[in-house]
Amino acid sequence: MEENLNQEECLKELPELIPGMRLEVISMKNCLIFMGKIDWVKDDTIQLVHSAGGELPYIEYNSTIKLRGFWQGQPVFMKGVIRGSTKRFWRIDQLHTLQISEQRGYFRQNVKLGATIMCVNEVFEEGAEEDAEKRMPVPCEIANISAGGVMVLSKGNFREGDWVYVMNMALLPDENPLAFTCIVRRVIDKGKQMEYGCEFCDLEDQERERLIQSILKLQRIELRLRRENLDD
């Protein structure tokens, strides 16, 4: 079922969209379609190409899609309508900015990965003092991941607003482990362990694109396995 945005969206002035700006192209069901790059801009219309120069998938004329990018260091969410497409470009108009109450609804890939997490408040907050146990790296499990953050399951003792460092996380067997600095935005007691909703901080464009490409690979693997199971 498509997400109903009518009660969530608030029209705002569009951010400054410039050629070369990277945008995540997302379906109305919150699945990442591809990582795009603005080719040209005219009023509320943009033309997107693949950020890595690849071919684009087929999409029907008049389809509605979502876009997510970063403007002045902050995430921005938009919605638009497809007015033309080929394997080389998508043309999108009627763009407007969305105010989304739950940003974590944007594409997330469920995973089950081992990693390590530790509190690093002292690095980012002058004068912050934490007990030695809290500063010690502890094992954790990554339950899902997006371009904006991760859900972490751990027995570690963290609180909302803590700065944490997540490391030794490999989304794919053949890739080097990833490491990210995050802020804990949500804490839920699950009994035997805690669930932490963490938002990435100061993630460089190169690392973000690497992360997105890994998520896309995982999604393709998952879709292939689903098709194979249906064919059995």
Side-chain angles (χ1 to χ4, degrees):
M1 181 180 297
E2 292 187 357
E3 179 185 7
N4 181 3
L5 292 174
N6 293 333
Q7 295 180 352
E8 291 185 293
E9 66 183 54
C10 174
L11 300 186
K12 298 168 60 181
E13 183 180 355
L14 280 174
E16 182 182 5
L17 302 175
I18 59 176
M21 182 178 181
R22 296 176 187 273
L23 296 172
E24 300 160 12
V25 183
I26 304 165
S27 75
M28 294 303 293
K29 294 183 179 180
N30 292 329
C31 293
L32 179 65
I33 303 173
F34 68 94
M35 185 69 177
K37 181 173 66 174
I38 296 179
D39 187 28
W40 55 255
V41 182
K42 184 177 181 181
D43 299 326
D44 66 346
T45 301
I46 60 173
Q47 181 163 293
L48 289 181
V49 296
H50 197 292
S51 65
E55 292 188 349
L56 303 184
Y58 169 77
I59 189 168
E60 292 184 359
Y61 183 81
N62 274 347
S63 296
T64 302
I65 52 91
K66 303 175 189 177
L67 300 166
R68 168 176 154 147
F70 289 84
W71 184 57
Q72 296 182 346
Q74 298 297 318
V76 59
F77 298 85
M78 295 174 285
K79 191 164 73 170
V81 179
I82 300 294
R83 293 305 189 193
S85 65
T86 70
K87 292 182 179 180
R88 304 305 304 169
F89 70 83
W90 282 14
R91 193 165 298 153
I92 305 163
D93 73 0
Q94 297 184 30
L95 283 173
H96 60 272
T97 304
L98 301 177
Q99 182 73 37
I100 303 296
S101 60
E102 291 291 338
Q103 294 185 2
R104 65 178 181 270
Y106 279 73
F107 77 95
R108 283 191 174 273
Q109 177 66 33
N110 291 327
V111 294
K112 191 175 182 179
L113 300 169
T116 306
I117 187 172
M118 63 184 292
C119 187
V120 290
N121 283 346
E122 292 178 339
V123 176
F124 294 93
E125 298 179 9
E126 185 176 352
E129 294 184 4
E130 301 291 352
D131 58 73
E133 182 180 354
K134 193 170 183 178
R135 291 196 302 269
M136 292 294 292
V138 295
C140 67
E141 178 184 309
I142 307 300
N144 65 48
I145 187 166
S146 75
V150 292
M151 180 186 291
V152 177
L153 303 176
S154 175
K155 294 182 179 180
N157 181 27
F158 308 113
R159 64 179 185 271
E160 288 187 23
D162 274 346
W163 295 80
V164 294
Y165 189 56
V166 180
M167 54 195 143
N168 303 324
M169 182 191 73
L171 284 176
L172 297 164
D174 59 345
E175 76 172 13
N176 293 326
L178 300 166
F180 307 104
T181 300
C182 307
I183 294 181
V184 177
R185 295 299 192 190
R186 188 178 72 259
V187 180
I188 300 175
D189 189 343
K190 292 293 186 177
K192 293 183 178 180
Q193 59 186 349
M194 304 296 288
E195 177 182 290
Y196 299 102
C198 302
E199 179 185 355
F200 294 136
C201 299
D202 299 325
L203 193 62
E204 295 183 358
D205 288 344
Q206 184 177 359
E207 283 296 288
R208 191 182 302 279
E209 180 137 2
R210 179 186 170 199
L211 175 62
I212 290 171
Q213 293 305 318
S214 294
I215 294 174
L216 284 170
K217 288 180 183 178
L218 285 173
Q219 290 182 341
R220 287 195 291 268
I221 291 170
E222 184 176 301
L223 289 172
R224 187 183 72 241
L225 291 174
R226 287 180 184 176
R227 287 195 296 267
E228 290 174 354
N229 290 334
L230 289 174
D231 292 340
D232 288 344

